[in-house]
Amino acid sequence: MKVNLKALKHIYFLGIGGIGMSAIARWFIANGYSLAGYDKTATPLTNALQDEGIPVHFSDDINLIPAEFLANKEETLIVYTPAIPKDHLEFNYLKDNGFTLMKRSQVLGLLTKSFYTIAVSGTHGKTTTSSMVSHILKNAGKNVTAFLGGITQNYGTNFLINESPEDVICVVEADEFDRSFLTLYPNLTIVTSTDADHLDIYGDHDQLLESFQLFVSQLKDGGKLYQRKGLNLAGFTNNESTEYSLNEGDFYAENLRIENAEMIFDIVYPNGIIKDCTLLTPGFHNVENALAATAVALEVGLSPAQIKDGICTFGGVKRRFEYHIRSEKIVYIDDYAHHPTEIQAFLSSVKALYPQHKLTVVFQPHLFTRTRDFQEGFAESLSLADDLILLDIYPARELPIEGVTSDIIFNKVTSPNKTLCSKEAVLDLLKEKQPELIVSVGAGDIDTLIPKIKEWGLNL
């Protein structure tokens, strides 16, 4: 689909509150377009957009779309998320009346087409890695624009705007959901992982792997692929491939140690070593993310000193290994992990940082299909908890599936203490247990518990 951005004046978003959608919205805001949008419910992201002067409504009502948008079809672009239901009144009205409609991923492909682009993909790790790359480059004075899938702690946003139109480096989180990343043709590509996920979309793991193979084949000529060791994607691109991992590859970590619940390590790469890098956002998986970020930063011309400073000052991403309390009485960390591999990486890292503490995990499964498909993996990874509090499944876009409840995970968990609990009863249960190390984990609405747990923990 050919769209001339210069001919457009109005951009209307269906699902404007999504983390990826709001990042694109902010690009259009920064470039002087008139915006408005719909979303199902108000969120901190929609509140922030409204504070920036963007009209956002929460009822599926054609009459709430600005009149000037409807009156100027040729000057209006409709950007929509695949999560919009097929019977959505506004969506169908705009489609039936000849407006130009594009998926978020298509617009992202359009916006990045003219930039030197670094795309970060993977079934997990892409948000932290893309945010880390963006910070390392911006911290070193590079002219960066970035479309991210989370709110960076350093900048308080999911979007960074370039300071001038020249020599722009665009960093984009390349999402495999709905095959969205196949709209991108990057110069550099990072692939962090290709574990089975989104099987409601792909059907099976082989179909997911095929999408990643197609994605890396879309590297521009002369580009480079940076993949975690063992992914075996090099054969699907004609470009150079570099491997990284915690212990082996072209880039790996050495002398990794834990001091005061922080991870410190050296980065070994083909032409040298960067000593004593400290991560403010710890985790063995985040050490690997730092290796990938280092590789692309060296490729675009940063010095080892600039890279080390970027790594050591990276504040992380909201809901990714995010500390909320670090006191003598209690440590409370929240994380977005919602796949067994992510949970395994997160919990094993927490236990390594706090080996003397009993670990209490509050977990909310996300999606009925994901719970059904990965029940064994969830049970295994959650068995790392000394005490598990398991919530009901958060359905998101799905309808219930008969026989699929949190019980199918719960019954397989081998933790010494485990409890099925409603979200409303979590705080009372924590008060009863009085844990010293708590983590809340999940991608649903478990984040609504954070202020309550934090308030209670700070008042102990």
Side-chain angles (χ1 to χ4, degrees):
M1 185 183 299
K2 291 188 176 181
V3 173
N4 181 5
L5 290 174
K6 292 180 181 178
L8 298 173
K9 291 183 180 177
H10 311 297
I11 317 294
Y12 185 70
F13 285 81
L14 288 167
I16 196 168
I19 192 76
M21 290 280 277
S22 61
I24 292 174
R26 287 197 165 96
W27 186 90
F28 282 109
I29 294 167
N31 284 275
Y33 291 83
S34 172
L35 265 68
Y38 157 87
D39 214 303
K40 189 176 179 181
T41 55
T43 65
L45 280 171
T46 59
N47 293 341
L49 291 169
Q50 287 175 312
D51 289 344
E52 294 167 32
I54 307 305
V56 180
H57 62 267
F58 305 98
S59 298
D60 181 11
D61 185 347
I62 296 153
N63 295 314
L64 296 176
I65 302 173
E68 64 272 24
F69 287 42
L70 297 177
N72 296 282
K73 184 181 304 186
E74 294 75 19
E75 297 177 344
T76 299
L77 173 65
I78 312 302
V79 186
Y80 70 98
T81 170
I84 286 289
K86 295 291 185 286
D87 60 352
H88 195 271
L89 298 177
E90 291 185 23
F91 175 82
N92 284 293
Y93 174 85
L94 294 164
K95 183 178 70 172
D96 293 344
N97 282 275
F99 284 82
T100 301
L101 282 79
M102 296 181 76
K103 288 183 181 180
R104 180 194 68 87
S105 56
Q106 292 173 310
V107 177
L108 193 57
L110 184 67
L111 298 184
T112 59
K113 198 172 181 181
S114 59
F115 295 137
Y116 182 93
T117 299
I118 301 170
V120 183
S121 67
T123 45
H124 22 262
K126 57 185 172 288
T127 299
T128 299
T129 307
S130 55
S131 299
M132 193 181 294
V133 169
S134 302
H135 171 68
I136 292 170
L137 298 181
K138 189 171 180 64
N139 189 62
K142 291 289 186 180
N143 189 22
V144 178
T145 194
F147 300 91
L148 306 171
I151 305 297
T152 61
Q153 301 284 22
N154 292 86
Y155 308 103
T157 181
N158 56 344
F159 171 67
L160 301 179
I161 183 68
N162 45 292
E163 295 177 359
S164 72
E166 289 81 36
D167 300 319
V168 177
I169 299 177
C170 178
V171 182
V172 58
E173 179 172 330
D175 192 358
E176 76 282 357
F177 175 75
D178 197 35
R179 298 176 173 83
S180 294
F181 58 0
L182 297 182
T183 62
L184 301 172
Y185 295 83
N187 300 85
L188 305 179
T189 290
I190 294 172
V191 184
T192 63
S193 50
T194 57
D195 291 332
D197 200 4
H198 304 303
L199 299 187
D200 56 324
I201 300 294
Y202 286 98
D204 59 40
H205 193 192
D206 286 343
Q207 294 295 314
L208 174 71
L209 291 174
E210 185 179 312
S211 268
F212 274 100
Q213 292 159 4
L214 283 170
F215 174 60
V216 301
S217 76
Q218 294 181 180
L219 265 169
K220 290 178 181 173
D221 289 342
K224 289 188 177 179
L225 168 65
Y226 301 86
Q227 60 173 327
R228 188 181 183 278
K229 189 170 179 61
L231 297 186
N232 301 318
L233 292 169
F236 297 93
T237 175
N238 295 322
N239 295 295
E240 183 181 332
S241 175
T242 296
E243 292 188 318
Y244 68 91
S245 77
L246 201 59
N247 300 310
E248 56 181 339
D250 303 297
F251 287 72
Y252 62 92
E254 198 172 64
N255 195 23
L256 174 61
R257 65 267 189 205
I258 295 171
E259 297 176 8
N260 299 318
E262 291 184 340
M263 289 184 172
I264 305 171
F265 56 99
D266 303 336
I267 296 174
V268 181
Y269 62 99
N271 297 316
I273 184 167
I274 305 174
K275 289 186 170 293
D276 300 327
C277 296
T278 302
L279 274 177
L280 299 176
T281 304
F284 297 115
H285 51 302
N286 285 328
V287 174
E288 287 197 327
N289 294 338
L291 297 172
T294 297
V296 298
L298 286 169
E299 174 62 25
V300 298
L302 266 61
S303 70
Q306 288 174 315
I307 293 168
K308 178 178 178 179
D309 188 58
I311 291 171
C312 294
T313 57
F314 175 63
V317 182
K318 281 191 177 297
R319 299 223 60 223
R320 270 73 172 183
F321 219 114
E322 183 178 7
Y323 277 94
H324 288 280
I325 306 175
R326 297 174 84 170
S327 70
E328 291 183 5
K329 290 185 177 180
I330 188 171
V331 174
Y332 172 39
I333 308 168
D334 175 65
D335 196 271
Y336 188 72
H338 53 281
H339 183 282
T341 305
E342 294 171 334
I343 295 166
Q344 178 89 20
F346 173 60
L347 297 185
S348 60
S349 296
V350 173
K351 288 175 78 75
L353 291 169
Y354 298 97
Q356 307 304 319
H357 290 57
K358 178 182 170 184
L359 174 60
T360 297
V361 177
V362 184
F363 176 64
Q364 181 188 51
H366 183 258
L367 298 179
F368 294 104
T369 52
R370 186 179 279 130
T371 303
R372 177 198 62 199
D373 294 339
F374 303 116
Q375 55 188 282
E376 301 283 352
F378 280 123
E380 183 180 351
S381 59
L382 290 169
S383 293
L384 287 169
D386 298 300
D387 194 343
L388 173 66
I389 300 171
L390 184 61
L391 307 186
D392 294 331
I393 297 170
Y394 182 79
R397 58 186 179 269
E398 294 184 339
L399 295 173
I401 298 172
E402 187 176 351
V404 179
T405 67
S406 293
D407 291 84
I408 65 174
I409 298 173
F410 184 81
N411 293 333
K412 297 181 177 72
V413 169
T414 61
S415 294
N417 299 292
K418 57 182 182 177
T419 309
L420 281 170
C421 184
S422 69
K423 196 175 67 165
E424 293 72 25
V426 166
L427 196 59
D428 286 338
L429 189 56
L430 290 176
K431 289 176 181 177
E432 180 185 319
K433 290 176 177 292
Q434 292 290 310
E436 56 183 0
L437 174 60
I438 308 170
V439 297
S440 51
V441 189
D445 63 355
I446 191 172
D447 59 322
T448 60
L449 290 175
I450 294 172
K452 299 170 186 175
I453 297 174
K454 187 173 181 178
E455 183 182 9
W456 164 70
L458 290 172
N459 288 320
L460 285 175

